[in-house]
Amino acid sequence: MRIVMLATGDIAIPAFRVLLREKRVAALVTQPDRPVGRHQALTPPRIKRIAVEQGVPVLQPESLRTPDVIQSLRQLAPDFLVVIAYGQILPQSVIDIPRKACVNVHASLLPRHRGASCVQAAIDAGDSETGVTIMHVVRKLDAGDIILQRKIPLRGIETADDLSDALAALAPGALNEALALLDVGKAPRERQDEQLSSYAPKLLRADGRIDWNQPAYIVERKIRACHSWPGSFTTYPSVRRGKDRSLKIYPPVDVISMKPVKEGALPGEVLKSGLDGLYVACHPGILRITALQPEGGRKMNAESFFAGHAIYPGMILGLSREDASLS
């Protein structure tokens, strides 16, 4: 069984390691090295480093649509193409290359949460379960026939990082089972119900901005879903600097109340600030925040934060000075 794996995200690493141990990987196709960090150092995907260490050929095309890339893949003569968090849509000319099948490992229970931020979407939506889907790749995003699925329950406390790790651990067994069934021609094939589909687009940094006009339980989910990318943030008026400053907020965040807060309190209003945390009004409900990071600073607990930063009851988080002047 010759497999060419197309993968970039870290969620693919456990499955890649299993396939490597079984000596099934003919090559890895991954995204090109990208500039990372403050100094924009050119950095390879982690999965590439593993492939290089194991002597596996690595291809890093900017596009899969060029004739030379397609020819290179054909020359590898794979039985299977396995796609996991690769980062590009495959053209039909690539989907047709493997002798037996082109399959995708997707981190949701399709057709729910198609798209790049499927892990975050399951948390944000308050789903009671999620899992991995092994499916046939088609040109339409995440719309191929399902081979099999494996489920895990959600407890309502997971961050996106936690859930990514859990799904990454679930994927190798599901993938191996699907490949074995496909290899002998006994794999089931179930069409997706388009009426049940939902889409989870790639998250941008701006998607981490907290909307205090939402209920407390919705904001709490969002903070878990956005950890650690893109991260959750709001702003507060800095008395010392005379301008709004960004404030990053980390999970866990406690939902103190789901009821409307005191009469006249506005969404984002600070109700209490002290050693045990920052209490903020939502619409409705109250959240208690205990881990914060000020703009230009480090992550710290509430006690450390309030020793050097002034956020007082009555302040409105997420409200710019321009907005305040118009209210």
Side-chain angles (χ1 to χ4, degrees):
M1 185 185 296
R2 286 177 59 82
I3 295 172
V4 172
M5 193 163 189
L6 294 88
T8 303
D10 288 353
I11 197 170
I13 289 176
F16 186 57
R17 289 189 186 278
V18 168
L19 294 178
L20 284 173
R21 284 200 299 269
E22 297 174 358
K23 302 188 184 303
R24 296 180 175 184
V25 182
L28 170 70
V29 182
T30 191
Q31 293 292 301
D33 300 355
R34 304 293 189 196
V36 173
R38 180 178 300 177
H39 301 292
Q40 293 292 279
L42 202 60
T43 304
R46 282 183 60 207
I47 198 167
K48 175 189 173 180
R49 297 173 186 169
I50 297 168
V52 171
E53 289 170 1
Q54 298 297 316
V56 173
V58 177
L59 286 72
Q60 293 181 275
E62 285 286 354
S63 171
L64 293 174
R65 298 179 182 276
T66 59
D68 57 333
V69 171
I70 294 169
Q71 182 60 25
S72 295
L73 291 173
R74 285 178 178 151
Q75 288 175 348
L76 290 167
D79 297 307
F80 296 99
L81 294 184
V82 173
V83 186
I84 311 179
Y86 173 54
Q88 288 189 37
I89 301 295
L90 272 60
Q92 192 64 46
S93 54
V94 170
I95 295 170
D96 292 338
I97 286 174
R99 186 171 65 89
K100 294 197 171 183
C102 179
V103 299
N104 176 244
V105 181
H106 185 76
S108 83
L109 297 176
L110 292 170
R112 189 163 174 77
H113 306 316
R114 295 174 178 174
S117 63
C118 49
V119 174
Q120 294 88 344
I123 295 172
D124 204 23
D127 291 354
S128 61
E129 65 179 6
T130 188
V132 295
T133 300
I134 316 298
M135 65 172 179
H136 290 274
V137 176
V138 296
R139 291 179 65 184
K140 185 175 179 179
L141 180 67
D142 298 332
D145 292 349
I146 294 170
I147 301 165
L148 59 83
Q149 295 181 320
R150 293 293 174 264
K151 300 178 181 180
I152 56 173
L154 292 176
R155 299 174 294 159
I157 60 174
E158 299 88 352
T159 67
D161 285 359
D162 297 333
L163 186 52
S164 291
D165 290 344
L167 295 174
L170 188 64
L175 175 61
N176 263 345
E177 183 177 347
L179 290 175
L181 290 169
L182 287 163
D183 198 37
V184 296
K186 294 184 178 181
R189 189 161 186 155
E190 178 186 350
R191 284 183 177 274
Q192 294 189 39
D193 186 340
E194 289 294 324
Q195 293 184 340
L196 299 178
S197 67
S198 60
Y199 179 58
K202 182 178 180 179
L203 293 177
L204 305 176
R205 189 173 295 278
D207 292 317
R209 181 182 293 274
I210 294 172
D211 180 2
W212 301 106
N213 287 286
Q214 294 183 319
Y217 75 94
I218 296 291
V219 177
E220 187 274 338
R221 285 181 194 166
K222 181 183 181 69
I223 291 169
R224 288 189 288 112
C226 288
H227 183 73
S228 56
W229 172 260
S232 298
F233 69 94
T234 188
T235 57
Y236 70 100
S238 173
V239 176
R240 183 184 306 171
R241 295 176 179 261
K243 65 177 183 178
D244 298 322
R245 300 194 72 193
S246 179
L247 180 67
K248 190 171 183 180
I249 294 172
Y250 291 85
V253 173
D254 299 321
V255 178
I256 298 300
S257 173
M258 284 304 303
K259 298 178 181 179
V261 295
K262 68 178 184 180
E263 185 176 352
L266 297 173
E269 182 173 340
V270 175
L271 304 175
K272 178 183 174 183
S273 58
L275 300 182
D276 65 334
L278 178 67
Y279 292 72
V280 184
C282 298
H283 187 62
I286 303 171
L287 286 183
R288 181 171 71 102
I289 300 160
T290 56
L292 315 94
Q293 183 176 337
E295 184 178 326
R298 59 179 177 82
K299 178 183 176 182
M300 58 187 80
N301 61 26
E303 181 178 0
S304 298
F305 180 85
F306 289 114
H309 298 83
I311 295 184
Y312 303 113
M315 280 186 173
I316 309 296
L317 303 184
L319 182 66
S320 72
R321 292 175 186 272
E322 293 79 5
D323 293 337
S325 67
L326 295 174
S327 61

